[in-house]
């Protein structure tokens, strides 16, 4: 089973991240180690804020979230200008810092201030990662950083939480799942076009019916997931999502309805005559 | 009638402020102008956070609030580490920043974030100054910054408000009386304990520094026959060649093993202004809770890092003067020649490398020999400080300036600038690591601009040595801790000072003697092997 740090590194790699910048402290070593093993290079800098500016440039030029790593206390206070920059310059960025373990916190004051409260005014969100729900929280942070308008999201990771094991993520990120579905529908549509060019009437009818069915279903499920992802705002009239979803609802029922298309495909495969979406 | 900025400048001058640090922006010019006309010198720095560290050193050495000035937006975000340092190191500081005028704010987003919300977690308070009540607010900010425990207070001043006229203040700031120990049952109990304690141990910390109580502490310790452990920032509150002093504590696990023997052997623990904000987690309740123990602090305790059986809230200068009169003479009848002396020797022995090897130990020992007793030193955060805190003796309060509560890197050089500025007659030496120096290297230019002959000794091991040791302990590979060498001697020359690389003790001694005679700053790059640090961990 992967650790919290490994899940985080996996998600960042999946989002296209290949470079992280920062200065280590004893408290972030597990996170750095996981990043390196996931194929994300760690670059040691001389001050956290310039490190954040490096991550910003990488984010812009590679269209991936920037990643900035720091330890607790002075590591966090040193990166504020970089985070304020990412906030006002709308750069997607994950800011990964360490925090003292909850078991020690009540009896400890050395180097301690409230990281989340400090960064809240200059981030889209700041989260403290606990073992419970850690994978969902990491996923949410990555999605939020890249959601419009992009910006910095802070993950404060207690030392021991970074090394705790979590369930392997079974479901890909919703965004990823949506992208895959859309690509699959497009591929099927392209295949149908190719088949038609080759001229076989039976094969063409099969491919076109399958493609129509798939595209209409994907349009519906993807817009549905997108609204869930956006939360309550997704159904507001001032955003296009709800309209896209209503439009997409027409797809499966628009004649020939998806069920009719499937019936045709089935008939053709059984050697019978199918009569929907015929093109010669 | 004075303006808001003029009233502020007047109050700061009245509080003893003579130096302000920062970087101007178009929005703070009225404040800077008022400071200058009130007789407060403005020093331009290269980055706001080092400017705050300079203000911190000035605040400590002159017992006045530090003043840091910045413009809006990036000016504010750049000073956060200095403010967090002042917060956790309990430094009285006024942080003066500009904000957009309220008339423009609703229709403006460029460079705008909420300054107050950002600084709230690392300040005692953050206030936005308006025209109404501006004078009272300024007075409150100055009082709050210096109230126990001291800390940073932020004043966000809209551009037009700074130039608005206000009523001239009729009164001066109220003066605080020093409140000693109240007579009664708890005090009688403490005096009873002191009368029969054979192994009394004082833990002295930041409160002794804040309350200027070192002379009273010395007198008390002598009379009570108590041994003294200080926090590493409080080193020197009793001169460290006094037989009562075991040493400065908090950083080295190796030293802790010896120090905890004294804590466990003691029959009375006295926490005088001891704030555990400086200490690592091994200092969570490091003595048995059943030992007789008492705490005197300037403010009620708001933590549970340790517990004491008695707790007094009082001014330490007054309280210790009072206690010295009440305590029966115990000198010569307590344990000073026993465990305390043995612990002191054990720590010195455990950190001394075999033979006369070149390394961080030799660097520190050589410098202590060459630099005169009245030298003011500053030290940065890193592996070198752990060693230095045990083998660099201090002879006066604030003889060694450092960041301990926040323990940030990059404090060494800026604080040396502040120290030399207000103590030009004293030699000032800064001990720093290569990574700490490179974090704030731009402010070598400030050192040049202010023409301050400070000596900087840089421990150059091309490594974040302390973090590398932790990676080894966790069985991880080296990652993000090694860096190729910088030619620091050339850097020193490039910034208008003198630069020299040394690789043995005699070269270092020669370089230090030359530095002491020079009228520019000197950057000494002491090339050492990072492996030499393993012994202190």
């Amino acid at each position: 089973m992967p650790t919290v740090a490994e899940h985080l590194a996996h998600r960042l790699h999946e989002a296209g991240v290949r470079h992280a910048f920062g200065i280590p402290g004893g408290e972030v070593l597990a996170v750095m180690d996981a990043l390196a093993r996931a194929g994300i290079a760690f670059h040691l800098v001389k001050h956290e804020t310039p490190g954040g500016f490096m991550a910003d440039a990488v984010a812009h030029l590679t269209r991936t979230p920037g990643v900035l790593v720091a330890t607790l206390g002075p590591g966090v206070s040193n990166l504020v200008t970089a985070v304020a920059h990412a906030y006002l310059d709308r750069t997607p960025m994950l800011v990964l810092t360490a925090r003292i373990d909850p078991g020690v916190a009540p009896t400890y004051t050395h180097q301690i201030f409230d990281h989340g409260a400090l960064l809240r005014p200059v981030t889209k969100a700041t989260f403290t990662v606990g073992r419970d729900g850690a994978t969902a929280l990491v996923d949410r942070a990555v999605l939020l950083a890249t959601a419009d308008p992009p910006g910095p999201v802070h993950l404060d990771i207690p030392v021991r939480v970074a090394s705790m094991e979590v369930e392997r993520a079974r479901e890909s990120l919703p965004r990823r799942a949506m992208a895959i579905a859309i690509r699959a529908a497009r591929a099927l549509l392209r295949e149908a076009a190719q088949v038609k060019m080759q001229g076989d009437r039976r094969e063409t009818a099969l491919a076109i019916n399958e493609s129509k069915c798939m595209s209409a279903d994907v349009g519906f499920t993807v817009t549905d997931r997108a609204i869930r992802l956006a939360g309550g705002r997704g159904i507001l009239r001032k955003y296009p999502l709800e309209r896209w979803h209503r439009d997409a609802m027409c797809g499966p029922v628009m004649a020939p309805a998806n069920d009719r298309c499937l019936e045709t495909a089935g008939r053709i495969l059984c050697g019978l005559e199918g009569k929907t979406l015929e093109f010669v | 009638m004075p303006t808001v900025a003029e009233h502020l400048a007047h109050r700061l001058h009245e509080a003893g402020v003579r130096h302000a640090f920062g970087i101007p922006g178009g929005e703070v010019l009225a404040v800077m102008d008022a400071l200058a006309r009130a007789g407060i010198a403005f020093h331009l720095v290269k980055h706001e956070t080092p400017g705050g560290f300079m203000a911190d050193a000035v605040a400590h050495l002159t017992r006045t609030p530090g003043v840091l000035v910045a413009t809006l937006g990036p000016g504010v975000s750049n000073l956060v580490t200095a403010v967090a340092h002042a917060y956790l190191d309990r430094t009285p500081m006024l942080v003066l920043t500009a904000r957009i005028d309220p008339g423009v704010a609703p229709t403006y987003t460029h460079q705008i974030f909420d300054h107050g919300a950002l600084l709230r977690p690392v300040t005692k308070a953050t206030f936005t100054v308006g025209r109404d009540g501006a004078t009272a607010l300024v007075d409150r900010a100055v009082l709050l910054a210096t109230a126990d425990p001291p800390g940073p207070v932020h004043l966000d001043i809209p551009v037009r408000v700074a130039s608005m006229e206000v009523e001239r203040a009729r009164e001066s700031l109220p003066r605080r009386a020093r409140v000693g120990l109240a007579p009664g049952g708890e005090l009688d109990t403490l005096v009873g304990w002191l009368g029969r304690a054979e192994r009394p141990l004082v833990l002295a910390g930041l409160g002794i520094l804040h309350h200027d109580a070192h002379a009273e502490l010395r007198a008390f310790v002598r009379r009570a026959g108590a041994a003294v452990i200080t926090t590493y920032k409080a080193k020197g509150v009793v001169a460290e060649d006094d037989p009562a002093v075991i040493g400065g504590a908090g950083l080295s696990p190796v030293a802790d093993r010896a120090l905890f023997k004294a804590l466990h052997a003691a029959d009375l623990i006295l926490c005088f202004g001891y704030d555990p904000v400086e200490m690592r987690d091994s200092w969570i309740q490091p003595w048995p809770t059943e030992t007789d123990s008492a705490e005197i602090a300037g403010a009620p305790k708001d933590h549970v890092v340790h517990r004491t059986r008695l707790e007094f809230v009082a001014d330490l200068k007054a309280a210790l003067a009072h206690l010295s009169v009440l305590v029966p003479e115990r000198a010569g009848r307590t344990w000073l020649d026993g465990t305390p002396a043995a612990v002191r020797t054990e720590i010195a022995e455990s950190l001394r490398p075999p033979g006369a090897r070149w390394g961080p130990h030799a660097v520190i020992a050589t410098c202590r020999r060459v630099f005169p007793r009245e030298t003011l030193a500053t030290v940065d955060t890193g592996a070198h400080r752990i060693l230095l805190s045990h083998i660099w003796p201090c002879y006066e309060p604030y003889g060694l300036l450092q960041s301990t509560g926040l323990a940030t890197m990059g404090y060494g050089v800026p604080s040396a600038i502040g120290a030399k500025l207000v103590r030009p007659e004293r030699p000032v030496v800064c001990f720093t690591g290569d990574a700490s120096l490179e974090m704030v290297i731009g402010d070598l230019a400030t050192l040049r601009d202010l023409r301050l002959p400070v000596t900087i000794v840089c421990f150059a091991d091309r490594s974040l040595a302390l973090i590398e040791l932790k990676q080894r302990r966790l069985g991880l590979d080296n990652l993000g801790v090694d860096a190729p060498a910088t030619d620091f001697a050339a850097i020193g020359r490039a910034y208008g000072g003198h630069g020299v690389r040394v690789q043995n003790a005699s070269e270092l001694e020669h370089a230090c003697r030359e530095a002491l005679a020079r009228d520019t700053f000197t950057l000494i790059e002491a090339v050492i092997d990072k492996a030499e640090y393993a012994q202190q961990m």
Side-chain angles (χ1 to χ4, degrees):
Chain A
M1 289 208 298
T3 64
V4 170
E6 284 166 351
H7 174 76
L8 171 63
H10 170 72
R11 280 297 188 232
L12 292 175
H13 190 270
E14 190 182 270
V17 173
R18 295 297 179 270
H19 299 275
F21 300 85
I23 304 185
E27 298 79 9
V28 288
L29 296 178
V31 171
M32 287 169 55
D33 184 60
L35 290 175
R37 281 185 291 107
I40 298 173
F42 181 82
H43 305 290
L44 175 66
V45 297
K46 303 301 166 194
H47 187 292
E48 286 81 354
T49 276
F53 296 156
M54 296 175 208
D56 174 86
V58 169
H60 289 324
L61 294 176
T62 63
R63 277 40 162 201
T64 60
V67 175
L68 177 58
V69 180
T71 190
L72 47 71
V76 176
S77 59
N78 262 358
L79 54 70
V80 173
T81 296
V83 177
H85 163 83
Y87 187 61
L88 289 182
D89 280 59
R90 324 299 191 207
T91 308
M93 188 176 287
L94 275 298
V95 182
L96 313 178
T97 67
R99 66 183 278 144
I100 201 79
D101 281 316
V104 182
T107 53
Y108 202 56
T109 56
H110 177 57
Q111 294 194 307
I112 302 298
F113 57 80
D114 186 339
H115 299 171
L118 184 78
L119 294 180
R120 199 153 293 124
V122 290
T123 46
K124 292 181 77 175
T126 152
F127 300 121
T128 297
V129 183
R131 187 187 184 176
D132 292 334
T135 54
L137 192 59
V138 163
D139 291 1
R140 186 170 169 208
V142 175
L143 289 169
L144 190 57
T146 51
D148 237 325
V153 175
H154 171 227
L155 285 176
D156 212 14
I157 311 170
V159 184
R160 291 162 69 106
V161 169
S163 306
M164 283 179 174
E165 293 192 332
V166 287
E167 287 288 305
R168 186 172 298 282
R170 258 164 306 188
E171 217 182 330
S172 201
L173 287 183
R175 190 169 62 89
R176 196 78 201 150
M178 291 190 287
I180 292 168
I182 291 170
R183 265 172 60 206
R186 272 203 195 113
L188 223 52
L189 182 64
R190 245 180 238 120
E191 190 192 293
Q194 269 167 5
V195 171
K196 183 171 186 308
M197 302 279 281
Q198 286 158 8
D200 185 314
R201 195 166 166 272
R202 185 173 164 274
E203 288 297 318
T204 301
L206 179 63
I208 289 178
N209 277 286
E210 283 175 349
S211 174
K212 189 269 165 181
C213 188
M214 177 77 168
S215 296
D217 274 347
V218 163
F220 178 77
T221 53
V222 165
T223 52
D224 175 55
R225 293 193 89 151
I227 285 176
R228 290 178 193 216
L229 199 61
R233 274 179 296 182
I235 56 171
L236 294 183
R237 281 280 165 94
K238 65 174 178 173
Y239 299 115
L241 263 184
E242 58 85 30
R243 181 166 50 78
W244 292 344
H245 188 50
R246 278 189 283 120
D247 290 351
M249 278 171 162
C250 301
V253 295
M254 187 171 283
N258 274 14
D259 290 340
R260 290 272 290 134
C261 294
L262 289 174
E263 193 185 318
T264 300
R267 287 178 70 88
I268 292 171
L269 288 169
C270 293
L272 303 169
E273 194 72 357
K275 289 272 186 187
T276 51
L277 290 172
E278 276 183 300
F279 299 91
V280 183
Chain B
M1 290 208 297
T3 63
V4 169
E6 285 165 352
H7 174 75
L8 171 63
H10 170 72
R11 279 301 190 229
L12 292 175
H13 191 270
E14 187 180 283
V17 174
R18 296 295 179 271
H19 299 274
F21 301 84
I23 303 184
E27 299 80 6
V28 288
L29 297 178
V31 171
M32 287 169 57
D33 182 60
L35 291 175
R37 280 185 290 109
I40 297 172
F42 181 83
H43 304 290
L44 175 65
V45 297
K46 304 301 165 196
H47 187 291
E48 287 82 353
T49 275
F53 296 155
M54 295 175 208
D56 175 87
V58 169
H60 289 326
L61 293 174
T62 64
R63 313 320 195 240
T64 60
V67 175
L68 178 58
V69 180
T71 191
L72 47 70
V76 176
S77 59
N78 262 358
L79 54 69
V80 173
T81 297
V83 177
H85 162 86
Y87 185 62
L88 288 181
D89 279 60
R90 323 298 192 206
T91 309
M93 189 176 286
L94 274 298
V95 182
L96 312 178
T97 66
R99 67 184 280 143
I100 202 79
D101 281 316
V104 182
T107 53
Y108 201 58
T109 55
H110 177 59
Q111 292 194 307
I112 301 299
F113 57 81
D114 186 339
H115 298 172
L118 183 77
L119 294 180
R120 198 154 294 124
V122 290
T123 47
K124 292 181 76 175
T126 153
F127 299 121
T128 298
V129 183
R131 186 187 183 176
D132 293 334
T135 54
L137 192 58
V138 163
D139 292 2
R140 187 172 169 206
V142 175
L143 287 171
L144 189 57
T146 52
D148 229 309
V153 175
H154 171 227
L155 286 176
D156 213 14
I157 311 171
V159 185
R160 291 161 67 105
V161 169
S163 306
M164 284 180 174
E165 293 193 333
V166 287
E167 288 288 306
R168 186 171 298 283
R170 264 160 301 189
E171 312 101 348
S172 359
L173 286 174
R175 295 182 71 85
R176 293 193 177 98
R178 293 182 180 275
V179 178
L181 298 170
E186 288 83 6
L187 183 57
D188 294 344
T189 306
L190 176 57
V191 172
W193 286 348
L194 282 165
R196 61 170 188 272
E198 289 169 356
R199 299 179 303 280
L201 178 62
V202 170
L203 275 176
L206 299 177
I208 301 292
L209 297 169
H210 300 154
H211 294 176
D212 231 355
H214 49 281
E216 291 72 16
L217 174 64
R218 200 154 50 231
F220 169 84
V221 163
R222 204 145 289 161
R223 191 165 169 82
V228 180
I229 292 174
T230 69
T231 64
Y232 48 115
K233 193 165 190 158
K235 275 167 70 70
V237 291
V238 179
E240 293 196 296
D241 51 0
D242 188 304
V245 178
I246 297 176
L251 288 171
S252 165
V254 170
D256 280 353
R257 283 197 282 278
L259 290 166
F260 290 167
K261 288 180 194 166
L263 284 171
H264 280 82
D267 59 1
L268 176 58
I269 303 270
L270 299 161
C271 297
F272 291 160
Y274 168 67
D275 182 342
V277 71
E278 298 184 61
M279 312 307 259
R280 294 178 4 270
D281 60 357
S282 56
W283 283 77
I284 296 171
Q285 195 60 54
W287 61 84
T289 43
E290 62 272 18
T291 306
D292 289 343
S293 55
E295 174 142 12
I296 306 178
K301 192 154 85 177
D302 63 355
H303 64 79
V304 288
V305 182
H306 63 257
R307 295 162 201 264
T308 52
R309 298 181 59 190
L310 294 178
E311 188 188 328
F312 301 87
V313 176
D315 177 272
L316 282 145
K317 195 179 181 74
L320 292 178
H322 188 187
L323 214 49
S324 295
V325 176
L326 296 179
V327 63
E329 175 72 49
R330 298 285 295 162
R333 283 188 277 175
T334 59
W335 65 332
L336 292 186
D337 290 340
T339 308
V343 167
R344 199 166 48 230
T345 309
E346 183 181 337
I347 292 172
E349 291 302 325
S350 64
L351 294 172
R352 183 176 298 137
R357 246 186 7 223
W358 170 248
H361 194 284
V363 172
I364 298 162
T366 303
C367 289
R368 185 66 276 190
R369 201 170 64 245
V370 176
F371 281 93
R373 190 177 166 104
E374 73 272 17
T375 299
L376 294 176
T378 73
V379 63
D380 234 309
T381 301
H384 62 280
R385 175 166 72 173
I386 299 178
L387 184 61
L388 188 134
S389 70
H390 294 291
I391 66 170
W392 176 270
C394 287
Y395 305 109
E396 62 180 311
Y398 291 122
L400 179 64
L401 294 171
Q402 49 187 326
S403 173
T404 61
L406 182 66
T408 179
M409 289 165 68
Y411 176 85
V413 168
S415 59
I417 294 173
K420 189 67 181 176
L421 196 61
V422 294
R423 293 287 178 267
E425 72 287 0
R426 302 277 206 100
V428 173
V429 60
C430 160
F431 295 97
T432 185
D434 40 12
S436 283
L437 178 57
E438 290 191 310
M439 194 176 266
V440 294
I441 203 149
D443 275 280
L444 289 179
T446 308
L447 199 47
R448 172 202 62 210
D449 297 347
L450 295 173
R451 300 171 198 283
L452 299 172
V454 163
T455 306
I456 300 166
V457 179
C458 175
F459 294 80
D461 60 5
R462 309 174 190 185
S463 168
L464 296 175
L466 186 56
I467 311 304
E468 197 213 357
L469 282 172
K470 290 181 183 173
Q471 278 179 343
R472 282 308 71 67
R473 295 259 157 110
L474 295 171
L476 298 169
D477 292 333
N478 265 36
L479 173 64
V481 291
D482 298 308
T486 297
D487 184 347
F488 287 103
I491 293 274
R493 291 190 291 275
Y495 274 106
H498 185 78
V500 56
R501 171 179 297 180
V502 301
Q503 304 194 60
N504 60 53
S506 65
E507 284 176 11
L508 174 62
E509 177 163 352
H510 182 68
C512 289
R513 291 199 191 285
E514 289 203 332
L516 279 167
R518 198 169 279 128
D519 60 2
T520 62
F521 80 86
T522 303
L523 176 47
I524 301 173
E525 175 186 359
V527 181
I528 53 159
D529 182 353
K530 63 189 174 185
E532 295 287 327
Y533 285 124
Q535 201 175 354
Q536 66 191 19
M537 292 295 289

